[in-house]
């Protein structure tokens, strides 16, 4: 039991990081139907911009600010020069998906080219603090609390603000939203800015867990995807639930009673995803009519 | 120059074959499959395991490799074809990854696959055979190259016949308008399964040739990037075109391997490797932006709105 609690705690830590990234991905998907394979590399980029800051001697909390702003600007800039023009030319979902695979390679290896293959750190990871049933490092506690704060922020934005309502309306039914006078281009840009900022923030959270390296976002991407579609594509709350489930499932699969090697844990998470989709092809919170 | 051309043509042949399988899925049926590398891997591993651990002869283990890949195609199709396109894309990638992870560290499975240590020694018989079939004058790479391209040609002709047959027309019908085909009383699910199985079997055979080329089997060879390379070959050449995978394979690997010859004074080894991947990414983007139907594809046959 003690082992299970510790694994669940670990799962919540990784699930929190995945959730922050997954909400950004799913917001964009809900509005643009873009499956962005470069999303993981947006995450890496955010983490590395923060490394530049900490390398200059700034504390991480200060270095995080320009990284998050950069993340937002980068995502918004790509919408301006790449995604927006492509959509206007009528590119199909699959066309855009393949463009994102190309973009992912360009981004990742540009990061490698600039920063090299070395592993960077924001600072030493401290010892675990014992909470009785489980123990976590201070960094892991910051990850969970920081991610939860960001997710609550997104929820408030979606529920309480005009812009959030417009985002939800657009995601629900694009034509109806457009007809009711919502400025689609503006909301699309705002969504990218929020997604970009969230993703950079998620990248910093991931880096805080220990290491910042060129493949970090790419390696997390499939877990992010799994969280998104387990929750139901386009649903921000679904993405949060799905990501936590994915995180906890993959950690619990290494429990000594189950006895699977930890190399397999991501495979177990994916398997759970496929089994859930067999029974609920639209995901946990996904809308049936969207099928 | 000759080694460069040989390496390009050999790898291009293997990927052309793999892309011919993907063309059945995507080009002709409109099925999005981003887990193609799994079929490639199952072909290679079936052959390798049967040959080295059970002493099965070359030809039977080749056939078994195709059968195993075909079966995996059916198994993957079962959950996959119920999903809409965006879910399908992601689920197929994860299936490919599950498969790789199981090959690497699945309990019980690693006794057969030897996990990350991999399998060697299956290719000797294959290369010795070239004396017996009168191709002794070729070196091993040339011999593999000839067999690969002969297979590409045979598969190409068979696919051409199949696709213009009534069966193939139903596949294209599914690609254009699934509901219309269903309304005509065709069992769309069954056709999709058959398409998945056929394309997977072809990829399995490509996987066997790939295994012969590299001489050893290791799980981490079969990363999702292999699937993306295969997609690039297909989209570059032109999906739904019979020559597409062939032209795409040659052009893609011509460029890719060409960057191996950039002198060290201009770019160091690691930088050249990064630059190569940046180039591949930029190429993928450029095709999709400027010529989404590929070099040979026609706009009319391009899959839209999937």
């Amino acid at each position: 039991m003690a082992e299970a609690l510790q694994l669940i705690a670990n799962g919540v830590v990784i699930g929190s990081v995945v959730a922050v990234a997954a909400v950004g991905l799913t917001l964009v998907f809900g509005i643009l139907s873009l499956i962005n394979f470069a999303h993981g590399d947006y995450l890496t980029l955010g983490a590395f911009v923060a490394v530049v800051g900490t390398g200059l001697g700034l504390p991480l909390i200060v270095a995080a600010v320009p990284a998050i702003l950069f993340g937002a600007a980068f995502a918004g800039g790509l919408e301006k020069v790449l995604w927006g023009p492509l959509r206007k030319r009528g590119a199909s979902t699959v066309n855009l998906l393949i463009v994102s695979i190309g973009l992912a390679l360009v981004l990742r290896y540009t990061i490698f080219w600039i920063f090299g293959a070395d592993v960077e750190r924001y600072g030493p990871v401290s010892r675990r603090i014992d909470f009785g049933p489980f123990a976590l490092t201070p960094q892991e506690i910051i990850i969970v609390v920081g991610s939860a704060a960001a997710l609550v922020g997104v929820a408030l934005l979606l529920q309480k603000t005009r812009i959030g309502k417009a985002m939800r309306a657009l995601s629900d039914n694009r034509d109806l939203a457009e007809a009711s006078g919502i400025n689609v281009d503006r909301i699309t840009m705002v969504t990218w800015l929020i997604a970009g900022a969230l993703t950079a923030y998620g990248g910093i959270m991931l880096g805080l867990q220990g290491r910042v390296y060129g493949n970090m976002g790419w390696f997390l991407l499939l877990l992010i995807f799994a969280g998104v579609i387990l929750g139901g594509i386009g649903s921000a709350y679904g993405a949060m639930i799905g990501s936590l489930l994915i995180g906890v499932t993959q950690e619990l699969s290494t429990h000594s009673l189950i006895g699977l090697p930890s190399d397999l844990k991501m495979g177990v998470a994916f398997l759970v995803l496929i089994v859930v989709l067999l029974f609920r092809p639209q995901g946990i919170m996904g809308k049936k009519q969207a099928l | 120059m000759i080694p460069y051309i040989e390496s390009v043509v050999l790898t291009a042949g293997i990927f052309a074959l793999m892309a011919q399988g993907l063309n059945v899925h995507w080009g002709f049926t409109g099925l999005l499959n981003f887990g193609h590398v799994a079929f490639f891997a199952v072909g290679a591993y079936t052959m390798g395991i049967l040959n080295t651990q059970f002493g099965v002869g070359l030809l039977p283990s080749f056939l078994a490799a195709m059968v195993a890949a075909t079966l995996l195609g059916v198994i993957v199709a079962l959950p996959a074809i119920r999903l809409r396109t965006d879910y399908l894309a992601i689920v197929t990638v994860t299936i490919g990854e599950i498969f790789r992870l199981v090959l690497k560290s699945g309990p019980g499975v690693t006794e057969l696959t030897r996990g990350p240590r991999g399998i060697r020694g299956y290719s000797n018989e294959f290369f010795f055979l070239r004396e017996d079939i009168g191709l002794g004058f070729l070196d091993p790479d040339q011999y593999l190259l000839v067999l690969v391209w002969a297979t590409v040609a045979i598969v190409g002709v068979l696919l051409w016949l199949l696709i213009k047959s009534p069966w193939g027309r139903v596949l294209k019908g599914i690609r254009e308008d699934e509901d219309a085909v269903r309304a005509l009383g065709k069992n769309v699910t069954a056709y999709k399964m058959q398409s998945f199985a056929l394309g997977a079997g072809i990829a399995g055979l490509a996987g066997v040739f790939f295994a012969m080329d590299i001489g050893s089997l290791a799980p981490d060879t079969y990363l999702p990037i292999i699937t993306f390379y295969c997609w690039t070959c297909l989209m570059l050449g032109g999906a739904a075109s019979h020559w597409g995978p062939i032209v795409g394979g040659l052009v893609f690997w011509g460029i890719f391997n060409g960057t191996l010859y950039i002198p060290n004074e201009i770019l160091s080894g690691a930088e050249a490797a990064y630059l190569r991947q940046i180039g591949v990414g930029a190429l993928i983007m450029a095709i999709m932006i400027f010529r989404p139907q590929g070099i040979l594809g026609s706009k009319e046959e391009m899959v839209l709105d999937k």
Side-chain angles (χ1 to χ4, degrees):
Chain A
M1 193 61 202
E3 187 191 355
L5 281 173
Q6 180 62 50
L7 290 174
I8 290 172
N10 297 348
V12 169
V13 173
I14 187 70
S16 307
V17 176
V18 174
V20 171
V23 168
L25 186 73
T26 212
L27 285 177
V28 169
F29 186 90
I31 289 179
L32 301 179
S33 300
L34 168 67
I35 309 171
N36 188 4
F37 268 79
H39 195 74
D41 303 294
Y42 284 30
L43 195 105
T44 311
L45 201 58
F48 267 102
V49 176
V51 162
V52 173
T54 55
L56 295 172
L58 297 173
L60 183 59
I61 195 159
V62 178
V65 176
I68 291 167
L69 292 177
F70 181 85
F74 187 77
L78 275 179
E79 161 66 17
K80 264 269 179 286
V81 301
L82 183 66
W83 304 120
L86 275 176
R87 278 199 314 280
K88 293 220 165 59
R89 285 168 52 176
S92 68
T93 305
V94 171
N95 261 330
L96 295 175
L97 186 160
I98 295 174
V99 170
S100 83
I101 292 176
L103 177 64
L105 286 172
V106 171
L107 285 182
R108 189 171 340 130
Y109 288 97
T110 305
I111 292 170
F112 270 115
W113 206 13
I114 297 171
F115 292 96
D118 296 339
V119 170
E120 311 272 352
R121 289 173 195 281
Y122 293 134
V125 173
S126 320
R127 288 174 58 123
R128 291 192 150 176
I129 304 168
D130 200 346
F131 290 94
F134 56 87
L136 292 174
T137 65
Q139 282 79 6
E140 288 172 328
I141 296 163
I142 297 172
I143 290 169
V144 175
V145 174
S147 299
L151 294 178
V152 169
V154 172
L156 286 176
L157 178 98
L158 286 176
Q159 296 298 339
K160 301 287 181 195
T161 64
R162 273 185 73 84
I163 206 114
K165 282 180 189 154
M167 282 165 70
R168 282 190 294 143
L170 204 56
S171 169
D172 258 4
N173 187 327
R174 193 180 182 91
D175 296 335
L176 212 58
E178 216 166 353
S180 66
I182 289 173
N183 182 340
V184 173
D185 284 345
R186 186 165 151 266
I187 299 301
T188 302
M189 182 49 82
V190 170
T191 306
W192 271 115
L193 294 177
I194 294 170
L198 267 178
T199 311
Y201 184 77
I204 295 168
M205 293 289 150
L206 184 63
L208 200 54
Q209 213 190 3
R211 305 184 299 149
V212 179
Y213 57 105
N215 275 321
M216 63 190 282
W218 171 242
F219 287 163
L220 199 72
L221 181 69
L222 287 182
L223 280 184
I224 300 170
F225 276 153
V228 165
I229 64 174
L230 183 61
I233 287 186
S235 159
Y237 304 114
M240 296 178 195
I241 297 169
S243 303
L244 283 173
L245 275 178
I246 288 285
V248 172
T249 307
Q250 77 155 14
E251 293 305 320
L252 273 181
S253 77
T254 63
H255 194 288
S256 53
L257 281 177
I258 300 171
L260 287 177
S262 71
D263 276 0
L264 265 185
K265 65 185 180 184
M266 213 185 262
V268 175
F270 295 155
L271 199 61
V272 168
L273 166 74
I274 291 168
V275 172
V276 171
L277 290 181
L278 278 179
F279 295 101
R280 247 188 106 74
Q282 73 275 35
I284 296 172
M285 307 271 280
K287 284 163 302 191
K288 191 116 203 190
Q289 66 266 33
L291 278 168
Chain B
M1 199 60 194
I2 298 291
Y4 162 71
I5 293 172
E6 275 184 16
S7 79
V8 167
V9 175
L10 175 55
T11 315
I14 292 167
F15 274 79
L17 190 58
M18 189 185 182
Q20 283 176 321
L22 188 62
N23 207 10
V24 175
H25 295 158
W26 172 245
F28 298 121
T29 326
L31 286 168
L32 204 57
N33 166 20
F34 278 97
H36 210 46
V37 68
F39 308 128
F40 197 62
V42 77
Y45 266 91
T46 306
M47 180 277 301
I49 291 169
L50 287 179
N51 192 267
T52 56
Q53 301 193 23
F54 298 96
V56 177
L58 204 58
L59 196 61
S61 50
F62 261 67
L63 291 176
M66 281 185 74
V67 171
T70 308
L71 282 179
L72 184 70
V74 175
I75 294 169
V76 171
L78 282 174
I81 57 186
R82 298 178 59 219
L83 301 169
R84 62 178 226 222
T85 308
D86 37 16
Y87 285 68
L88 183 60
I90 295 170
V91 165
T92 47
V93 183
T94 61
I95 289 175
E97 279 293 90
I98 292 176
F99 199 77
R100 176 178 69 85
L101 293 169
V102 168
L103 286 176
K104 193 175 174 182
S105 36
V109 178
T110 48
E111 286 155 33
L112 288 173
T113 64
R114 295 167 37 91
R117 286 175 301 156
I119 300 175
R120 295 182 154 277
Y122 51 78
S123 56
N124 301 342
E125 194 186 341
F126 174 76
F127 286 110
F128 284 140
L129 195 70
R130 75 178 194 277
E131 306 280 348
D132 301 341
I133 58 173
L135 293 171
F137 58 94
L138 297 173
D139 73 27
D141 278 353
Q142 292 166 341
Y143 158 74
L144 183 59
L145 189 154
V146 167
L147 286 191
V148 167
W149 279 97
T151 311
V152 170
I154 294 166
V155 168
V157 170
L158 290 178
L159 281 181
W160 178 70
L161 290 171
L162 261 175
I163 296 302
K164 74 182 182 106
S165 76
W167 183 82
R169 288 204 298 273
V170 175
L171 289 194
K172 285 188 173 186
I174 292 172
R175 180 188 72 193
E176 299 301 327
D177 189 342
E178 205 178 309
D179 294 329
V181 174
R182 199 173 279 121
L184 290 170
K186 302 289 183 194
N187 184 346
V188 168
T189 310
Y191 276 95
K192 281 186 175 175
M193 293 276 246
Q194 289 157 12
S195 166
F196 236 108
L198 175 64
I202 296 171
L205 191 56
V208 172
F209 284 124
F210 184 67
M212 293 303 177
D213 183 21
I214 60 175
S216 66
L217 295 172
D220 286 347
T221 309
Y222 300 95
L223 291 167
I225 192 76
I226 301 279
T227 305
F228 300 155
Y229 287 165
C230 182
W231 267 93
T232 311
C233 292
L234 180 63
M235 301 307 281
L236 182 62
S241 148
H242 287 285
W243 287 98
I246 294 165
V247 171
L250 286 168
V251 173
F252 177 76
W253 289 103
I255 297 171
F256 192 93
N257 286 7
T259 62
L260 295 172
Y261 291 83
I262 299 173
N264 260 339
E265 298 84 68
I266 301 176
L267 277 172
S268 74
E271 279 182 336
Y274 301 148
L275 203 66
R276 186 175 312 129
Q277 299 291 351
I278 294 171
V280 171
L283 178 68
I284 295 175
M285 291 173 75
I287 306 164
M288 282 295 105
I289 293 169
F290 299 111
R291 202 174 159 82
Q293 73 273 38
I295 298 170
L296 298 175
S298 68
K299 271 229 151 92
E300 290 72 39
E301 281 220 68
M302 205 172 74
V303 189
L304 291 167
D305 297 324
K306 281 269 180 181

